[in-house]
Amino acid sequence: MNQNKNYALPLAIIGLFFFSLGFALGINSYLMPVLKNAMNISGAASSLLLAATFIPFLLLGIPATWCIRKIGYKNTMALSFLIFAIAFGLFILAAMYQSLVWFLIASFVSGSANAVLQASVNPYITILGPLDSAARRISCMGICNKLAWPVTTLFITFVIGKGIGETQMSYLYLPFAIIIAIFILLGFIALLAPLPEVKAAGEEDDETEAAETTTACPYAEGKTSILQFPHLLLGCLALFLYVGVETIALATATGYAQSLGLEGDNYG
């Protein structure tokens, strides 16, 4: 019980970071129908935003772990928020030029920030606290993440006071500027928050600890590559399919509701 109390504040802060992950991904739900209407492009072209957002997840997973090893979890989290701020600055630039290419570049940078932050907060939350409750913690963080997706659309439509069908590119400057300020603030929170610097078993360079880790897990003894762990590869494939289905459903919900004429008076 005492241990849980000690971790309450760090867990709340990490929960906020998971919420910010979903908020940043939720920009796709808003921008896809907006670009389709305001720039008169096809649904397929607007869906390229999703591809641009998630390609960095394939490219930056391993570099993100190098970053964590070099500067630690907290500094990596702060760095990701700086990248988020740059991404939304590029979104403003894209809105100014009304350029799909710039929107794709901004989405790629935002996806890069998301990949770096995901690489740091996901293992961090499993290490922070007792191992037997790690699954519960990551499940709660997932809820924080998913709840944030619709908040992005609600936030932007509230700030500009216009529905998606009425949104012009110039209306996006203010909400994106506010989001930049929020991400910069989150970066400072990551740096200054009382988040303990943790390490998982095997992260230390010490040879004795590495030997103890191998002894504790005989199955891993003698294995030198992740390709030698078939259950891990199958798990990655399952997660890839699961996230794909989940993301497409969340990202297209706003546009689908609009196509059915289900827009609200304030947000349609």
Side-chain angles (χ1 to χ4, degrees), residues 28-265:
N28 292 295
S29 302
Y30 181 81
L31 282 180
M32 287 166 61
V34 165
L35 295 188
K36 184 179 175 182
N37 293 333
M39 296 175 58
N40 195 27
I41 61 176
S42 67
S46 67
S47 296
L48 290 174
L49 291 177
L50 277 180
T53 300
F54 284 95
I55 286 173
F57 283 71
L58 294 174
L59 302 177
L60 296 180
I62 293 176
T65 61
W66 295 339
C67 185
I68 293 168
R69 177 173 292 185
K70 189 72 175 177
I71 64 176
Y73 285 98
K74 285 180 60 174
N75 290 334
T76 302
M77 293 175 200
L79 174 62
S80 69
F81 288 122
L82 174 61
I83 301 172
F84 270 129
I86 293 171
F88 278 86
L90 291 174
F91 276 126
I92 293 177
L93 184 65
M96 287 180 177
Y97 287 106
Q98 298 193 30
S99 168
L100 178 60
V101 172
W102 275 108
F103 272 109
L104 294 177
I105 293 171
S107 294
F108 183 88
V109 176
S110 181
S112 299
N114 218 300
V116 173
L117 186 56
Q118 294 256 20
S120 54
V121 294
N122 277 292
Y124 187 89
I125 199 64
T126 60
I127 301 167
L128 186 68
L131 182 61
D132 58 357
S133 60
R136 274 203 310 273
R137 292 195 299 276
I138 197 67
S139 295
C140 290
M141 296 301 128
I143 293 171
C144 293
N145 182 296
K146 299 307 173 289
L147 286 176
W149 274 76
V151 173
T152 315
T153 297
L154 294 173
F155 169 77
I156 296 177
T157 51
F158 174 78
V159 171
I160 67 177
K162 299 285 185 181
I164 287 175
E166 305 169 292
T167 301
Q168 299 178 17
M169 293 289 103
S170 59
Y171 298 165
L172 300 177
Y173 304 162
L174 177 59
F176 284 171
I178 295 172
I179 292 171
I180 290 172
I182 291 172
F183 278 126
I184 291 174
L185 176 61
L186 287 172
F188 280 110
I189 291 174
L191 286 174
L192 302 176
L195 298 175
E197 195 60 56
V198 297
K199 286 186 179 293
E203 281 193 84
E204 296 287 356
D205 293 329
D206 186 76
E207 292 182 5
T208 303
E209 180 173 342
E212 289 175 356
T213 302
T214 302
T215 303
C217 183
Y219 177 72
E221 190 172 358
K223 292 182 171 61
T224 58
S225 169
I226 62 170
L227 298 178
Q228 295 172 294
F229 295 87
H231 60 287
L232 175 61
L233 299 178
L234 289 171
C236 289
L237 176 61
L239 282 172
F240 178 83
L241 296 173
Y242 150 71
V243 172
V245 171
E246 172 192 60
T247 299
I248 291 172
L250 289 168
T252 57
T254 302
Y256 181 65
Q258 187 187 31
S259 70
L260 294 178
L262 299 178
E263 307 92 339
D265 293 336

